[in-house]
Amino acid sequence: MTAATHSTLFPQVPGPSQFMAPPRDADAVLDGLDPEQREVATALHGPVCVLAGAGTGKTRAITHRIAYGVRAGILQPSSVLAVTFTNRAAGEMRGRLRQLGAGGVQARTFHSAALRQLQYFWPKAVGGELPRLLERKVQLVAEAGARCRIRLDRNELRDVTSEIEWAKVTQTVPADYPAAVAKAQRDAPRDPAEIGQIYAMYEQLKRDRSAIDFEDVLLLTVGILQDRHDIADRIRSQYQHFVVDEYQDVSPLQQRLLDLWLGDRDNLCVVGDASQTIYSFTGATPDHLLNFRTRHPNATVVKLVRDYRSTPQVVHLANGLLAQARGRAAEHRLELISQRDPGPEPVYAEYADEPAEAEGTARRVRDLIAAGVPAGEIAVLYRINAQSEVYEQALADAGVPYQLRGAERFFERAEVREAGVALRGAARAGGNDSLLDDVEDLPSQVRAVLSTKGWTSEPPTGSGAVRDRWESLSALVRLAEDFARARPGATLGDLVAELDERAAAQHAPTVQGVTLASLHSAKGLEWDAVFLVGLTEGMVPITYAKTDEQVEEERRLLYVGVTRARLHLSLSWALARTPGGRASRRPTRFLTGLRPGSAAPGARTAGGGAGVERGGGAVAVTRRGRRGPVRCRVCGATLTDAGEMKLTRCEDCPSDMDEGLYERLREWRSGQAKQLGQPPYCVFTDKTLMAIAETVPATDGELARISGVGVRKLDRFGADVLAICAGQERDQDGEED
């Protein structure tokens, strides 16, 4: 990376006559704005604070504000700098501004804007070339740890790196880190004194190697603007009007940079919502938004509360969540007013266990798709990424395509791959592995092996990579427990084979499908239908949320999840982890007084009395009553494993499957999948094909009784499947040869 040597990054500002537009042309930009959005668009002088609730059209308001100012000749395009927090948001803003005739406006992230300035002014302020920018700081943090004689594993490296980033954006120097952690009541992943040592050594190594990181980009720009008044004046003469989106997420360092950009001027428009502050662990704070009117007593304040995204039913629940909130951010909450036609009530679903919750969610997703909701307009949102595996499996079993956002697929995660290698090695070694001495049952064997990879019986304190790794390994332990319960006498080798089969099914190419995402990664997105799952105490709020403020941030996180839904919203929880387990879990406290049947004194309720639907383990319980348990058609045992329920027999019971028919069905499925551009499991899973090859259905009714077929797939593929079962070959267009 080299410093800029030309002046095109800071072009000459054109005179007003070069972009003056007739007033009527400018007024056209205001067409279609509601009264509050129009107030934002026409407030072009002095400080402006826009408090914008979820779905209220804040991006529309601020882009029309800039375009109106430009087309009216009040703002010069090259003198406006709009900053936000993601490249995606900045790109969207630039696109909208171009469409509105304000293409010369700069819309960038804080880091992007600062880096351009640093590249341009470094030769003049410091001399020579700008130091090399570190794309990834993990390797240098590892070396710093080694220099301090502190060994960090891969996950500790990620966590310590995050701590260094937090320290820098909060303008905390290494010597002050331990005290800052204590003051913030922050759970450090290691002894704060050790992290302070590593932080100091990391900074020393960067200096020795003439390198900077992304936080340094902001720090160095701040330093130059503080020390070189001539350079600060040059930037202030270039940028005279500032717009800051997502202002509730500004860190102390970003606020310091913004203050230096502004100087003694007040042409600043900020947009934010304190109720959507969910990134405080990275250094973000809503204090700057909440203190804006104190710092700028003459500010114009506009509240955007007309929600164009969600139905009145969804908005009512969102408002109810915030009505119970406490703390300073809650004092500034916005009461949203839906502008959409009424829609369905939110669905509350209680399940006996986690697998039942996942299967029930997959069924509901499949029903929505069958009713015409595109798969890409549906999302399943959970608190932590480790929860994804059971939903990946349930959607795969239901033949529903999905895509993960912000996380690797479960079986592609490094810790899961490492655990698989360890389990495979232990299975091959058998009785020769000392780890398995005196360990008899399968779950205990798995715990013993995974204990070498970081699993412990108690979770680590705090959040971060170490906790994420533990959650992934714990998911494997739970899977082993479920597997042993469904197949008594199963060996470690059997479990490894099961893991391989699951991994193979989920390694299919990513296709356009249902989004699986954590609540944090869903911020800024929206879907027609949203399923909020795993809403139990200990998950939402998460166990390590100890202080009142941490708990309130968890409430805001759920609020963000609710406000992602346009039309359909489902909220669910499971009373036990595994089938037959003790029903000791409780729904999240945040829904008390909101979900049916949980009204507290003085609490408001949301919804129209739809009630809480309750799901069982192997089968769902609805208002139509309970179906009987699924039993093995060979030995009569009650089945709990989803795959065995498809086959309607125990895995170990004799199979009368027609192997030739099974292979013909697989070949046909491969052709169909290729034709549809989807992975094979979206046509039928292996277990469903095995069930078909065992029962050899002759009629629609017999085929429909096989788990995994369903009405939609019967209509789409039934004729082909029945023809193949009857011995007739089908070509890829579904015609008989």
Side-chain angles (χ1 to χ4, degrees):
M1 185 169 294
T2 58
T5 55
H6 51 81
S7 59
T8 56
L9 290 174
F10 287 82
Q12 292 297 311
V13 177
S17 62
Q18 292 178 254
F19 53 82
M20 186 73 76
R24 277 187 304 176
D25 185 39
D27 288 343
V29 175
L30 305 178
D31 292 344
L33 300 183
D34 67 31
E36 294 78 24
Q37 292 171 342
R38 182 180 286 252
E39 187 178 355
V40 172
T42 54
L44 295 170
H45 300 286
V48 178
C49 179
V50 183
L51 302 176
T56 56
K58 66 179 178 66
T59 305
R60 176 180 175 84
I62 57 177
T63 51
H64 280 68
R65 177 182 186 273
I66 295 169
Y68 176 73
V70 168
R71 294 173 69 167
I74 299 170
L75 301 179
Q76 300 174 352
S78 60
S79 72
V80 180
L81 178 60
V83 288
T84 187
F85 284 82
T86 66
N87 289 321
R88 182 183 63 82
E92 180 185 356
M93 195 177 291
R94 286 194 296 270
R96 292 198 191 191
L97 288 169
R98 279 195 301 270
Q99 292 174 354
L100 292 169
V105 172
Q106 291 289 310
R108 298 187 170 277
T109 65
F110 271 101
H111 283 88
S112 173
L115 181 59
R116 281 168 60 89
Q117 293 172 15
L118 198 60
Q119 289 173 319
Y120 185 76
F121 288 113
W122 185 269
K124 179 178 181 180
V126 181
E129 291 188 351
L130 183 69
R132 176 176 60 91
L133 182 64
L134 291 173
E135 295 293 335
R136 295 177 70 252
K137 56 175 72 75
V138 170
Q139 290 178 334
L140 209 57
V141 173
E143 184 176 342
R147 294 279 187 101
C148 296
R149 299 178 183 270
I150 300 172
R151 187 179 179 280
L152 302 171
D153 65 26
R154 179 184 303 172
N155 292 283
E156 288 176 318
L157 265 177
R158 283 173 50 195
D159 286 344
V160 171
T161 300
S162 296
E163 285 300 293
I164 291 173
E165 291 171 351
W166 174 81
K168 297 183 77 165
V169 301
T170 55
Q171 302 177 88
T172 303
V173 298
D176 295 340
Y177 172 78
V181 167
K183 183 178 179 180
Q185 296 182 290
R186 188 175 178 86
D187 282 319
R190 288 188 70 107
D191 180 352
E194 289 185 337
I195 295 178
Q197 281 183 278
I198 297 170
Y199 178 14
M201 179 58 69
Y202 167 77
E203 292 297 312
Q204 182 62 52
L205 289 174
K206 283 199 289 96
R207 286 192 293 271
D208 292 345
R209 296 173 189 183
S210 188
I212 60 174
D213 58 28
F214 278 100
E215 290 72 41
D216 290 331
V217 169
L218 301 184
L219 285 163
L220 290 170
T221 306
V222 164
I224 288 174
L225 296 183
Q226 286 179 159
D227 296 342
R228 292 291 299 268
H229 298 294
D230 57 329
I231 293 176
D233 289 341
R234 177 80 185 277
I235 290 177
R236 290 167 191 161
S237 68
Q238 171 65 45
Y239 295 121
Q240 299 166 13
H241 197 98
F242 297 86
V243 178
V244 184
D245 193 14
E246 303 286 3
Y247 193 56
Q248 78 278 353
D249 290 333
V250 165
S251 71
L253 179 56
Q254 289 165 331
Q255 180 62 48
R256 181 68 186 127
L257 177 59
L258 180 61
D259 289 341
L260 288 165
W261 281 341
L262 275 166
D264 57 2
R265 300 165 301 167
D266 62 0
N267 285 326
L268 170 66
C269 174
V270 300
V271 189
D273 179 9
S275 296
Q276 295 189 68
T277 304
I278 60 172
Y279 298 113
S280 66
F281 59 91
T282 67
T285 170
D287 289 347
H288 306 297
L289 176 66
L290 299 177
N291 294 336
F292 191 82
R293 281 171 287 186
T294 302
R295 295 186 65 189
H296 304 279
N298 299 321
T300 299
V301 179
V302 184
K303 294 183 179 180
L304 301 183
V305 296
R306 300 176 195 251
D307 188 324
Y308 297 95
R309 175 188 299 159
S310 305
T311 62
Q313 287 76 10
V314 173
V315 167
H316 188 53
L317 175 57
N319 286 338
L321 277 172
L322 291 189
Q324 299 181 4
R326 299 291 180 267
R328 191 165 179 232
E331 294 170 3
H332 297 266
R333 62 180 176 267
L334 300 168
E335 185 89 5
L336 299 178
I337 304 170
S338 176
Q339 305 299 298
R340 293 193 55 170
D341 292 334
E345 293 289 344
V347 173
Y348 298 85
E350 182 177 277
Y351 294 91
D353 51 69
E354 287 182 6
E357 183 180 8
E359 291 166 12
T361 301
R363 283 194 301 272
R364 289 181 181 277
V365 167
R366 190 174 59 192
D367 291 344
L368 282 176
I369 294 173
V373 180
E377 286 295 343
I378 302 174
V380 178
L381 306 181
Y382 34 76
R383 177 60 179 85
I384 59 174
N385 286 324
Q387 292 172 272
S388 75
E389 192 274 337
V390 68
Y391 291 93
E392 292 177 53
Q393 186 65 44
L395 290 172
D397 287 343
V400 176
Y402 65 85
Q403 55 186 339
L404 268 79
R405 178 180 177 82
E408 297 170 295
R409 293 172 184 261
F410 181 81
F411 286 101
E412 293 174 359
R413 295 172 193 165
E415 62 268 26
V416 175
R417 291 200 304 269
E418 291 171 12
V421 171
L423 291 170
R424 192 171 292 108
R428 281 199 302 266
N432 297 322
D433 192 328
S434 59
L435 272 175
L436 305 183
D437 289 348
D438 303 320
V439 178
E440 295 183 1
D441 63 284
L442 176 60
S444 297
Q445 292 175 343
V446 172
R447 294 187 200 103
V449 174
L450 296 189
S451 66
T452 67
K453 298 299 176 183
W455 181 84
T456 56
S457 58
E458 293 297 323
T461 59
S463 58
V466 172
R467 178 73 182 224
D468 290 344
R469 179 184 181 86
W470 183 89
E471 294 284 2
S472 294
L473 296 178
S474 291
L476 289 175
V477 171
R478 292 196 296 270
L479 195 152
E481 292 168 349
D482 296 342
F483 187 69
R485 190 177 297 110
R487 291 184 56 183
T491 66
L492 196 54
D494 295 330
L495 175 65
V496 169
E498 171 73 9
L499 295 177
D500 288 343
E501 182 179 330
R502 288 180 178 233
Q506 295 178 22
H507 279 168
T510 300
V511 296
Q512 176 65 20
V514 174
T515 298
L516 292 175
S518 70
L519 287 165
H520 279 103
S521 65
K523 177 77 165 63
L525 304 174
E526 58 186 79
W527 295 269
D528 285 344
V530 169
F531 291 80
L532 301 176
V533 299
L535 301 181
T536 59
E537 284 290 309
M539 192 57 75
V540 182
I542 199 75
T543 308
Y544 48 77
K546 296 289 196 290
T547 67
D548 290 344
E549 180 48 44
Q550 288 169 342
V551 170
E552 285 304 317
E553 182 151 336
E554 293 287 302
R555 187 194 305 274
R556 295 194 294 269
L557 190 57
L558 181 56
Y559 171 79
V560 167
V562 167
T563 55
R564 300 310 94 196
R566 298 190 191 106
L567 180 62
H568 303 281
L569 177 63
S570 174
L571 305 97
S572 65
W573 56 91
L575 299 179
R577 183 179 61 76
T578 58
R582 183 164 168 259
S584 58
R585 292 179 171 179
R586 292 181 294 121
T588 173
R589 71 190 76 169
F590 300 144
L591 295 180
T592 300
L594 299 172
R595 60 183 173 86
S598 68
R604 54 189 297 176
T605 58
V612 177
E613 295 188 6
R614 307 190 187 277
V619 293
V621 181
T622 67
R623 278 172 256 172
R624 292 190 296 273
R626 182 187 293 269
R627 296 196 327 233
V630 180
R631 298 190 183 278
C632 174
R633 55 189 164 84
V634 179
C635 71
T638 300
L639 302 177
T640 58
D641 178 75
E644 291 182 341
M645 289 192 298
K646 281 186 187 298
L647 297 174
T648 63
R649 67 168 174 82
C650 300
E651 194 85 36
D652 294 335
C653 284
S655 169
D656 52 359
M657 182 176 72
D658 183 333
E659 295 284 352
L661 174 58
Y662 178 65
E663 290 304 319
R664 291 196 298 276
L665 288 168
R666 282 175 58 88
E667 184 178 353
W668 165 83
R669 181 184 66 172
S670 177
Q672 289 291 321
K674 186 175 181 181
Q675 201 172 60
L676 296 170
Q678 295 182 337
Y681 68 75
C682 289
V683 180
F684 287 119
T685 64
D686 286 348
K687 287 284 171 54
T688 300
L689 291 188
M690 289 173 66
I692 293 171
E694 289 186 358
T695 57
V696 194
T699 66
D700 283 351
E702 292 175 359
L703 180 58
R705 282 194 287 273
I706 296 174
S707 176
V709 176
V711 175
R712 184 176 62 88
K713 291 193 176 182
L714 183 66
D715 290 343
R716 191 168 193 176
F717 305 122
D720 280 8
V721 171
L722 291 174
I724 294 170
C725 289
Q728 303 167 359
E729 294 296 327
R730 309 286 285 185
D731 64 20
Q732 297 309 318
D733 295 320
E735 301 295 332
E736 295 182 16
D737 288 339

